[in-house]
Amino acid sequence: SNSNNHQNNNPQDVSAAGVTPAEALSNCLLSQYRFCAGGVGLGAAYGIKYTKGALPMVAGGIAGTAVDLMYGYVKECQKEVELYNQSQNSVNGSGTQNY
């Protein structure tokens, strides 16, 4: 019988959570928010105290988002990064590309 419990190296395979390695990595990276929230908060405080307007808050949010993505990739999402890299190696090794 055909079951979903088999394992192979096809990156299109869906994990137990129902997502591909690429989707799992995206979900993990996009769930990081600490530095963005901190950047927005610091930018808002700076904007209120020194310059009027939303520019410091926006800049803090953008900078915080960049740090969130880097921190997530290096620290918080290591398991997802490894699974994604393994899936890409199996795709590239088999001669097929996943676009």
Side-chain angles (χ1 to χ4, degrees), residues 22-80:
E23 291 170 332
L25 178 58
S26 294
N27 290 341
C28 182
L29 290 175
L30 293 174
S31 71
Q32 306 302 313
Y33 64 88
R34 291 175 202 93
F35 293 105
C36 177
V40 169
L42 290 174
Y46 182 85
I48 291 169
K49 185 166 178 106
Y50 297 108
T51 52
K52 302 300 178 208
L55 186 59
M57 188 171 55
V58 171
I62 291 170
T65 299
V67 174
D68 276 330
L69 291 174
M70 290 185 288
Y71 182 76
Y73 190 84
V74 171
K75 179 78 173 158
E76 292 289 324
C77 303
Q78 282 183 334
K79 180 183 77 167
E80 290 82 357

